[in-house]
Amino acid sequence: MTGPGGRNDEPRQWFVDPLTGQPLETEAERTRPLPVVRDAVPPRRRLRLRPTLGVLGLAVVLAVGATATYQAKTAPPPLSAHDLVLPDPVPATRIQPVIAGWQPVVSGDHPFVYDVPPDWTLEEPDVAIGYETPAGDLVTLQGVARFRRAFCPNTDLSARATAGFTTIDEGEVGSLAQAAEETTLRWAEAAYGRSATAEIGEPGPVPVLDGGTTATAVTTSVVPAPDGPCPAPSVAITAIALPLRALPGSGRYHVLLVLADQEIPGAIASGVVLKMGESIRRE
């Protein structure tokens, strides 16, 4: 059977399978080499896999390490039942008391330490408590210790006695005695209001342990208004002000302030307060 040739006008033989009727390839067609198929895209350079994998492996390790560190800081593992029973807070440093049987109190904002009796409760060094004065000023204490803390259910700051460090700027007062006196008056007004009556005592020296420094103490007796929450008959506010040379260049007087309810069972005596002042030393 004939079929088309190499050109349109040249005949060519076709071999047909007698069973299927389909044309068969010639011997030449069966034995000719297969055509070379070339990609339309030009060949690319081969990647050198070993160095590349090494760099990628290092990047993964660093990323995993950074993620683990971040998660450890922001999402700590769940607490166990044992961890939920936490001990009472203790000062971050291992400072020893200078008064046997007492406990040292550390402040996060004042470079001084003082001791309090063993039945006082210590707050964390960076905890600050305070009041706002009628004029809108804020007075605060840091390095706080409290006696019979939370005895009154009607106020969050209740305690039969509270101690801590505060400051007063050098330019606001003319002397160390004035620094102590003014501190007691500010706290009397802030904590007990303008309706409370106050009687200022005489200043007196307090030798402290910090290199033989002599502080000045002033105690102001306050009678709170009777309509306050869980009022005491009277309160002794004692300010023990350190001289400027205790912290040169700061421009502030550092003051240990103690507010102690009086005329109640177990009231903190003035001798205990002065003994606390005598234990003041540099951290």
Side-chain angles (χ1 to χ4, degrees), residues 6-279:
R7 298 192 304 270
N8 292 336
D9 57 350
E10 180 180 352
R12 175 186 169 196
Q13 283 188 326
W14 286 83
F15 295 92
V16 179
D17 188 337
L19 296 178
T20 64
Q22 297 297 320
L24 297 175
E25 291 180 332
T26 63
E27 182 67 19
E29 290 174 332
R30 286 197 302 268
T31 58
R32 70 170 176 258
L34 293 174
V36 176
V37 179
R38 300 184 181 275
D39 291 333
V41 181
R44 297 179 180 178
R45 294 174 58 191
R46 284 192 176 187
L47 296 178
R48 302 178 65 182
L49 295 180
R50 294 180 65 87
T52 305
L53 288 177
V55 173
L56 291 176
L58 178 60
V60 170
V61 170
L62 292 178
V64 170
T67 303
T69 303
Y70 177 77
Q71 289 177 345
K73 292 180 179 179
T74 60
L79 296 175
S80 65
H82 175 73
D83 293 331
L84 293 176
V85 182
L86 298 177
D88 293 333
V90 295
T93 56
R94 297 294 180 183
I95 297 174
Q96 298 298 318
V98 296
I99 302 176
W102 285 29
Q103 48 186 337
V105 186
V106 181
S107 169
D109 193 43
H110 304 266
F112 298 102
V113 184
Y114 67 101
D115 292 347
V116 295
D119 53 354
W120 286 52
T121 300
L122 276 57
E123 305 293 345
E124 294 288 349
D126 57 351
V127 168
I129 67 170
Y131 297 90
E132 185 178 4
T133 67
D137 299 324
L138 187 65
V139 292
T140 60
L141 294 178
Q142 262 197 339
V144 177
R146 294 195 268 179
F147 173 64
R148 292 184 59 187
R149 180 178 182 266
F151 80 94
C152 178
N154 299 326
T155 174
D156 294 335
L157 294 180
S158 71
R160 282 306 189 186
T162 301
F165 282 112
T166 187
T167 61
I168 186 168
D169 289 342
E170 176 185 2
E172 298 183 58
V173 292
S175 66
L176 185 59
Q178 286 183 8
E181 179 181 314
E182 179 63 23
T183 301
T184 64
L185 293 177
R186 288 185 182 182
W187 278 83
E189 184 180 50
Y192 302 104
R194 289 175 175 169
S195 60
T197 60
E199 182 179 349
I200 305 171
E202 293 294 325
V206 178
V208 299
L209 294 178
D210 189 22
T213 302
T214 300
T216 297
V218 170
T219 297
T220 295
S221 181
V222 178
V223 177
D227 56 351
C230 305
S234 65
V235 180
I237 303 179
T238 301
I240 302 173
L242 299 173
L244 293 174
R245 66 176 179 273
L247 197 65
S250 67
R252 303 182 297 170
Y253 292 98
H254 288 260
V255 182
L256 176 64
L257 188 77
V258 183
L259 303 92
D261 289 352
Q262 300 297 295
E263 303 178 62
I264 60 168
I268 299 298
S270 60
V272 174
V273 174
L274 294 178
K275 191 174 181 179
M276 293 164 55
E278 292 172 358
S279 71

